[in-house]
Amino acid sequence: GQRGVGMQVPTNFEPQAPQLFWMWAPIHFDRWCTHLALFEYADGRRWLEEGLIVPVLEDGGATWGRDPGLDHLGDIRYEIAWQPGTRVARAASLDFVSSTRKAVRIELEPLHTFRMRGIGYTHPEWGHGSLHGELAVGGEEFAVADFDPLDPTGIHVQSVCRARMGEDTGIGVLEQLCFGDHEPTGLTGFVDPPIR
């Protein structure tokens, strides 16, 4: 996709307030892995949606070719409970319907949250694709407790999560980047905390 790095190509689109709602959740269980990726407009309409169950490869199994065990999931829904005063999940659940019409629910319990600013996403100076000269090196250091959770440069996060799907427990990531309004989750303003 297009990223706001470098000189932007002029367009004839009307200027709009920025808005993005992104969730990505790859999760590993003992017997299978699940995958969720979705983008939504402010009203909740999706412009990208993917949900999958993928079997775990056997030792020496082929990592290419058709995978007959791949299950495309539909009717993807989610619930997010926000950490107070932030746009970071305190808990989340993902609901799908498998190709066999079986309902699948995954509960996510965030254990640790990493701000993607640390690897260049939304960083004000060292963003992806920015040029600083040959062999430029930089870094920053700050106390996590001192970081403003609504600083726009730090709202893109990945949370390592414990995942539960029925009797199965796994580990995975919940990545979120939410700026602008998003009616289904109660987000308003550019980076304001949720209203519910």
Side-chain angles (χ1 to χ4, degrees):
Q2 181 182 1
R3 297 186 183 205
V5 175
M7 182 69 72
Q8 298 298 294
V9 175
T11 70
N12 60 354
F13 294 118
E14 290 291 322
Q16 298 179 22
Q19 185 276 330
L20 181 81
F21 183 86
W22 160 249
M23 282 180 50
W24 180 63
I27 304 168
H28 187 275
F29 295 93
D30 288 340
R31 296 175 289 160
W32 58 79
C33 298
T34 62
H35 181 258
L36 165 82
L38 61 83
F39 279 107
E40 291 184 345
Y41 293 108
D43 62 4
R45 286 178 299 126
R46 300 217 173 121
W47 56 274
L48 177 117
E49 172 185 280
E50 181 175 67
L52 300 168
I53 294 179
V54 182
V56 172
L57 290 175
E58 303 279 335
D59 285 342
T63 58
W64 66 91
R66 188 173 185 283
D67 188 345
L70 188 69
D71 188 356
H72 289 270
L73 303 171
D75 193 22
I76 298 171
R77 291 169 283 123
Y78 59 86
E79 294 175 19
I80 299 173
W82 302 106
Q83 292 178 21
T86 76
R87 288 187 175 211
V88 176
R90 166 175 60 78
S93 62
L94 311 173
D95 290 284
F96 314 90
V97 174
S98 73
S99 61
T100 61
R101 304 308 299 165
K102 179 182 173 187
V104 176
R105 182 173 182 90
I106 300 173
E107 300 282 346
L108 298 176
E109 174 193 352
L111 304 172
H112 178 73
T113 297
F114 173 74
R115 297 197 181 273
M116 300 289 281
R117 169 185 168 145
I119 57 173
Y121 285 93
T122 64
H123 194 280
E125 183 182 353
W126 294 93
H128 285 292
S130 57
L131 299 176
H132 297 278
E134 190 173 339
L135 301 178
V137 176
E140 65 184 356
E141 190 175 304
F142 54 86
V144 174
D146 295 340
F147 194 80
D148 178 0
L150 298 178
D151 179 336
T153 69
I155 62 170
H156 186 184
V157 299
Q158 282 192 355
S159 297
V160 176
C161 296
R162 180 176 294 114
R164 291 182 182 83
M165 185 164 70
E167 299 296 314
D168 296 296
T169 301
I171 194 84
V173 167
L174 175 61
E175 180 176 338
Q176 300 171 265
L177 177 55
C178 316
F179 57 83
D181 296 346
H182 189 249
E183 190 280 326
T185 56
L187 300 175
T188 60
F190 186 63
V191 293
D192 299 351
I195 56 175
R196 59 176 189 261

